[in-house]
Amino acid sequence: MHPLTRNSAEDDAGSRIEDYALIGDEQTAALIGRDGSVDWLCLPRFDSAACFARLLGDEDNGHWRIAPKAADGGDATPPTCTRRAYRPGTLVLDTEWDTPEGSVRVTDLMPQRDRAPDVVRIVEGLSGRVTVRSTLRLRFDYGSIVPWMRRSDGHRVAVAGPDSAWLRSEPPVPTWGEDFGTHSEFTIGEGEKVAFVLTWHPSHEPRPPLVDPYESLRHSVADWQAWSARCRYRGPHRDTVLRSLITLKALTYAPTGGVVAAPTTSLPEELGGVRNWDYRYCWLRDATLTLGALLAAGYHEEAEAWRDWLVRAVAGAPADMQIMYGLAGERRLPEAELPWLAGFAGSAPVRIGNDAVLQLQLDVYGQVMDSLSLARISGMAVRPHMWQLECALMEFLRSAWRQPDEGLWEVRGGRRHFVHSKVMVWVAADRAVRTMERDPELKGDLEGWREFREEVHREVCERGYDPERNTFTQYYGSRELDAATLLIPRVGFLPADDPRVRGTIEAVRAELCQGGFLHRYSAERTAVDGLPGGEGTFLVCSFWLADALHMTGRTQEARELFEQLVGLTNDVGLLAEEYDPVAGRQLGNFPQAFSHIGLVNTALALFGDEEAG
């Protein structure tokens, strides 16, 4: 038996984002609470409509709970689990309850699919005899549609419009309909098992082939552990780093190689606030950092799939390049609100789609050029027309780089000359120059790009730097600061020992730090993002601070900060986008790829020399 983490009593009070664990099949993912309830699942893809949306509403918006029967005989207040953990090196979740009658385990997984997505939930008696209740409320279209239910060939079948879902159990247990839900109740003894399988498919197609739940479990464990064995990292906190890599793998849309920022939408950056966004898409901003993490950890195949997705997605006129795309490179991601969902902890509106797709963010051109340069250096096969694409991007940037933009943080308060954006324009020129210097056979305007690189560098240092405070600022002419400027030494814009770099680190720490962690900028002091309210500290920014401290020789401080950040992971090793150091809780979409990428890259930077052996 693998070790499981025991919950503290305070964790049982109230619903928190970190109460959830993730399962998935590399095409979509589900969130499961400590009460044994699947509260979020979009089928058949990450960006499809949810059939379980309790996460953003209530039980009538869809959920599937399997847990010991509540002490009062109902299922309104089922007990919180005693402990839970992933099986080592896998995305298979074990949740256990100790009750006065005995102990029971529920094992949850989504096997990698052949045709249809399946959710497998296996109930196993560990001791005594425990009465278990299953309550399934399917609600298609983000909790708004109650399906028609019928029985067919030993299944409960739900149908509404294009969606159909089939529920069965092995061995069969009786089910009944009540309150627009499907219920089961059974008693299980030590060594006994009951497996439930929920399968989705388009309603106009015949039922897909049945999966064997126990074989699916065996294959899933073996496949995930074989994948995890490829991890090259051997430094401190290896289990935490590996969990982050598994999470990144789980957030990959296997058919295309795209990596979603998170499997959720509208989890709030401030409880009760309006900063609620849909993250179920692929951002170019994540490209270089994701590639670096995957390559350094030994996952060349996944890195190459991500690079190939990137090349396909940005193909076309450089002026039309977007900051994000759909899972297969789709360009239209219109934003809309779902008024029937109250939002997590009353944080409305709930949004699907993301209008930030329409923004101009010049930094993404640097991210793409940096990613393609890293791919070349790592030995990936060069794709046809890749260099022509890079040349086209460079020519566009030379004419467009002086424009203001919305910047890395996708502000909605108007365009500005963001310093990070201009730094990444410099990165684009620098990587183009270095690529040509490494391969003289490539054709391009080498001298012109060198001059362009110097021009951008000179302007950023003149207009984006505050000599009075010895720090780079958020945008030209501003006194506000931005944690993204911590990346200046990492991307090579200035060396780590430059006094301006050290000054920026100190200023950012002094002005943006709260409870030991960094805000990305001062959302409450500036109108730059055009939104009311505040937000939590931004976890990836704190990882960037650790990286910057390490690069400037303050490795002990960096390691201490890294230890604090690792301590923020929930009981199964997952991180959201943000953290509220006052309330001591995670905020934002969950789990967040950017946060886990930061964890992996910082561990590799801090402890890479300790990996041998």
Side-chain angles (χ1 to χ4, degrees):
M1 177 63 184
H2 58 282
L4 293 102
T5 303
R6 181 171 293 274
N7 297 331
S8 64
E10 60 209 78
D11 288 333
D12 296 341
S15 178
R16 292 173 173 248
I17 289 170
E18 58 265 40
D19 286 342
Y20 288 95
L22 179 82
I23 61 171
D25 64 0
E26 297 179 58
Q27 296 192 44
T28 191
L31 294 187
I32 304 176
R34 287 180 168 141
D35 60 353
S37 180
V38 182
D39 286 350
W40 182 254
L41 175 61
C42 300
L43 292 172
R45 307 192 336 171
F46 289 108
D47 57 354
S48 300
C51 64
F52 298 137
R54 181 188 179 214
L55 179 72
L56 301 177
D58 57 30
E59 293 194 348
D60 285 335
N61 296 123
H63 73 111
W64 183 15
R65 181 189 295 123
I66 299 179
K69 187 176 180 179
D72 62 5
D75 65 352
T77 55
T80 299
C81 69
T82 308
R83 54 194 167 266
R84 64 178 182 173
Y86 289 109
R87 298 197 181 183
T90 80
L91 202 65
V92 174
L93 179 71
D94 284 329
T95 305
E96 297 180 3
W97 287 263
D98 294 336
T99 75
E101 293 75 32
S103 299
V104 66
R105 174 191 303 142
V106 176
T107 298
D108 289 308
L109 66 143
M110 291 188 71
Q112 288 198 13
R113 70 180 76 169
D114 179 16
R115 273 178 44 201
D118 300 285
V119 179
V120 174
R121 313 196 71 186
I122 300 174
V123 185
E124 180 180 1
L126 301 179
S127 65
R129 294 192 62 79
V130 180
T131 300
V132 175
R133 174 168 284 195
S134 168
T135 300
L136 172 69
R137 286 190 174 92
L138 280 162
R139 299 291 186 268
F140 295 121
D141 193 28
Y142 298 103
S144 68
I145 297 176
V146 180
W148 169 54
M149 300 292 297
R150 62 185 174 87
R151 294 181 185 270
S152 177
D153 192 25
H155 290 73
R156 279 279 187 163
V157 185
V159 177
D163 298 296
S164 179
W166 296 62
L167 174 71
R168 78 179 199 276
S169 60
E170 294 185 13
V173 295
T175 63
W176 72 92
E178 181 182 331
D179 297 329
F180 300 101
T182 299
H183 303 264
S184 303
E185 189 174 299
F186 54 95
T187 300
I188 194 163
E190 182 176 349
E192 297 176 345
K193 296 181 181 180
V194 174
F196 292 86
V197 181
L198 181 70
T199 304
W200 178 96
H201 71 99
S203 60
H204 64 277
E205 294 182 358
R207 187 196 68 192
L210 301 181
V211 301
D212 182 317
Y214 303 104
E215 278 298 307
S216 293
L217 173 60
R218 284 189 286 271
H219 284 304
S220 291
V221 170
D223 289 348
W224 273 110
Q225 290 182 341
W227 187 86
S228 296
R230 292 164 49 197
C231 178
R232 289 205 301 247
Y233 180 75
R234 294 291 185 272
H237 297 290
R238 186 179 187 275
D239 288 346
T240 304
V241 172
L242 179 58
R243 178 54 50 195
S244 290
L245 288 164
I246 291 171
T247 303
L248 292 176
K249 176 71 167 171
L251 298 181
T252 300
Y253 184 65
T256 67
V259 180
V260 297
T264 57
T265 179
S266 299
L267 288 179
E269 297 173 17
E270 179 185 42
L271 292 182
V274 300
R275 298 168 183 262
N276 316 318
W277 314 110
D278 194 345
Y279 275 18
R280 298 171 299 156
Y281 307 112
C282 307
W283 266 257
L284 301 188
R285 74 181 183 206
D286 301 356
T288 308
L289 297 174
T290 305
L291 274 176
L294 292 172
L295 288 169
Y299 293 102
H300 192 280
E301 180 181 332
E302 287 76 10
E304 189 157 348
W306 173 232
R307 189 281 310 269
D308 289 347
W309 175 91
L310 183 69
V311 171
R312 292 192 304 270
V314 304
D320 297 330
M321 194 170 83
Q322 300 180 175
I323 66 165
M324 72 178 87
Y325 295 86
L327 306 178
E330 298 90 346
R331 289 174 171 262
R332 298 190 184 278
L333 312 173
E335 188 173 299
E337 297 181 3
L338 306 182
W340 61 86
L341 290 175
F344 184 91
S347 306
V350 170
R351 296 181 175 95
I352 59 171
N354 200 314
D355 279 349
V357 72
L358 305 174
Q359 292 186 351
L360 173 66
Q361 296 179 23
L362 291 172
D363 66 289
V364 300
Y365 292 87
Q367 297 286 8
V368 170
M369 294 292 293
D370 197 20
S371 299
L372 299 182
S373 173
L374 177 60
R376 275 191 172 86
I377 293 171
S378 70
M380 287 186 197
V382 176
R383 297 302 184 217
H385 312 301
M386 203 165 80
W387 179 243
Q388 290 92 320
L389 167 65
E390 293 171 83
C391 291
L393 294 178
M394 284 304 305
E395 292 311 306
F396 171 76
L397 269 185
R398 283 211 283 195
S399 63
W401 78 279
R402 292 189 181 279
Q403 297 181 50
D405 71 342
E406 278 89 3
L408 168 72
W409 304 125
E410 300 170 7
V411 301
R412 301 195 178 196
R415 294 180 176 181
R416 288 169 170 79
H417 291 284
F418 287 102
V419 170
H420 175 262
S421 294
K422 307 301 187 186
V423 168
M424 293 308 296
V425 169
W426 176 90
V427 168
D430 180 72
R431 302 317 187 251
V433 168
R434 291 174 181 267
T435 297
M436 287 195 68
E437 289 173 344
R438 286 192 303 268
D439 187 351
E441 294 185 5
L442 294 175
K443 304 300 181 184
D445 185 7
L446 179 58
E447 287 306 315
W449 293 344
R450 282 175 175 153
E451 293 174 6
F452 175 41
R453 179 177 63 176
E454 294 308 311
E455 180 184 11
V456 176
H457 196 280
R458 184 167 53 252
E459 179 177 293
V460 171
C461 291
E462 291 174 357
R463 301 184 61 191
Y465 171 71
D466 182 350
E468 180 183 332
R469 293 184 296 159
N470 187 29
T471 181
F472 285 93
T473 60
Q474 186 175 37
Y475 55 90
Y476 290 175
S478 169
R479 289 186 61 83
E480 299 298 335
L481 302 183
D482 193 321
T485 56
L486 294 172
L487 295 171
I488 283 175
R490 180 172 184 154
V491 300
F493 184 84
L494 286 174
D497 59 1
D498 190 290
R500 292 166 292 185
V501 169
R502 295 178 180 272
T504 299
I505 294 171
E506 291 309 310
V508 166
R509 284 186 97 177
E511 295 194 20
L512 299 184
C513 191
Q514 181 185 18
F517 308 108
L518 285 187
H519 289 276
R520 50 184 176 168
Y521 52 85
S522 179
E524 296 182 339
R525 190 173 61 227
T526 177
V528 68
D529 62 18
L531 297 167
E535 59 186 25
T537 59
F538 215 76
L539 291 175
V540 76
C541 296
S542 296
F543 285 113
W544 292 347
L545 175 59
D547 295 339
L549 290 170
H550 173 58
M551 292 184 72
T552 53
R554 299 159 70 176
T555 298
Q556 185 56 38
E557 287 181 69
R559 291 184 173 186
E560 290 171 0
L561 176 55
F562 181 76
E563 293 285 342
Q564 288 181 278
L565 287 162
V566 167
L568 300 184
T569 60
N570 75 351
D571 60 313
V572 290
L574 301 181
L575 288 171
E577 181 179 39
E578 301 180 9
Y579 179 73
D580 181 347
V582 176
R585 62 188 299 167
Q586 297 191 27
L587 295 171
N589 283 303
F590 174 89
Q592 175 76 8
F594 223 19
S595 299
H596 286 282
I597 292 164
L599 190 153
V600 173
N601 280 324
T602 300
L604 290 164
L606 291 177
F607 307 111
D609 292 340
E610 301 177 23
E611 291 180 33

